[in-house]
Amino acid sequence: IAGITQAPTSQILAAGRRMTLRCTQDMRHNAMYWYRQDLGLGLRLIHYSNTAGTTGKGEVPDGYSVSRANTDDFPLTLASAVPSQTSVYFCASSDSSLTEAFFGQGTRLTVV
Amino acid sequence: KQEVTQIPAALSVPEGENLVLNCSFTDSAIYNLQWFRQDPGKGLTSLLLIQSSQREQTSGRLNASLDKSSGRSTLYIAASQPGDSATYLCAVRLVSGGYNKLIFGAGTRLAVHP
């Protein structure tokens, strides 16, 4: 079934550790996004990529980095995790930067 | 700064009722608006996408309207069912140069009871 796959589904991480959240889509979408969802704050954009080879910062990029080496993959890296990065992370994609966005099932990350 | 507000925050109705969920946004310079459904502990499922040039979109029992000039969108759910229970999110897409993003409302949590 075509769609977006995120891994892991959930993770408990010690503060200070490095972590990469994986996101793969098989729809050949050009644009991909990372959001975090927090109670009371809704969904906020972390980083985005309009096409392979390009990335950009969203609303809350600090402490996160991304890469877009190919069309299908858009990993999100936390270089040194902090408790405030405890959240549910969603990866999304769209055919272009302006069309319907599709979301993955999310990664629940707890930093302790 | 674009802000998206959804009213009500929560809604509980008996099965069979017709519902209206509201979404308002402060900046009318949007490219499109998308409605999503989110079940507890799950991802977001796209329901309807309305381009800024459109007035409404329909899918089954769902109808979404858009009034860009007044900064409003409504999601109409006909003949509600318990399976409609979920959180409904609206998001507007802004475009500025090479940068674009979806800005989300906080959602309306809907409970439909038998």
Side-chain angles (χ1 to χ4, degrees):
Chain A
I1 298 176
I4 300 175
T5 302
Q6 291 185 234
T9 303
S10 65
Q11 181 77 44
I12 298 174
L13 185 68
R17 297 295 295 270
R18 180 184 179 90
M19 173 78 187
T20 295
L21 307 185
R22 300 185 298 279
C23 175
T24 299
Q25 53 100 1
D26 59 5
M27 298 176 282
R28 306 301 294 171
H29 283 173
N30 287 312
M32 297 187 75
Y33 317 86
W34 275 105
Y35 288 85
R36 59 178 290 175
Q37 186 176 35
D38 302 287
L39 200 62
L41 295 175
L43 281 136
R44 294 177 292 169
L45 181 66
I46 305 171
H47 285 286
Y48 67 95
S49 169
N50 287 335
T51 188
T54 69
T55 62
K57 294 181 179 180
E59 302 170 79
V60 289
D62 294 343
Y64 306 95
S65 63
V66 291
S67 61
R68 188 84 186 279
N70 57 61
T71 297
D72 299 341
D73 301 301
F74 192 42
L76 176 73
T77 297
L78 289 67
S80 179
V82 295
S84 63
Q85 292 177 311
T86 294
S87 186
V88 181
Y89 291 86
F90 288 102
C91 180
S93 73
S94 59
D95 185 35
S96 78
S97 59
L98 300 173
T99 55
E100 188 177 13
F102 296 91
F103 280 72
Q105 290 301 298
T107 294
R108 185 173 297 275
L109 180 67
T110 303
V111 183
V112 297
Chain B
K1 179 185 173 186
Q2 175 74 271
E3 293 184 359
V4 180
T5 303
Q6 291 188 246
I7 295 173
L11 186 61
S12 180
V13 300
E15 181 177 7
E17 278 205 6
N18 300 324
L19 310 171
V20 176
L21 307 183
N22 296 294
C23 173
S24 62
F25 45 95
T26 54
D27 186 345
S28 63
I30 64 169
Y31 195 84
N32 57 43
L33 183 146
Q34 195 167 352
W35 282 93
F36 295 88
R37 168 187 173 136
Q38 186 175 28
D39 293 287
K42 303 294 185 182
L44 280 69
T45 299
S46 178
L47 298 174
L48 289 163
L49 173 71
I50 310 178
Q51 301 295 346
S52 62
S53 58
Q54 297 176 319
R55 297 287 291 183
E56 65 178 327
Q57 283 285 345
T58 298
S59 176
R61 293 183 294 110
L62 304 179
N63 175 277
S65 67
L66 174 64
D67 184 343
K68 208 174 82 163
S69 61
S70 67
R72 294 181 182 181
S73 177
T74 61
L75 179 67
Y76 177 81
I77 303 176
S80 60
Q81 304 170 357
D84 294 330
S85 299
T87 296
Y88 290 81
L89 298 160
C90 73
V92 299
R93 187 176 292 280
L94 298 182
V95 179
S96 177
Y99 179 82
N100 82 89
K101 64 179 180 180
L102 280 172
I103 300 178
F104 284 83
T108 293
R109 191 170 62 255
L110 173 66
V112 181
H113 48 86

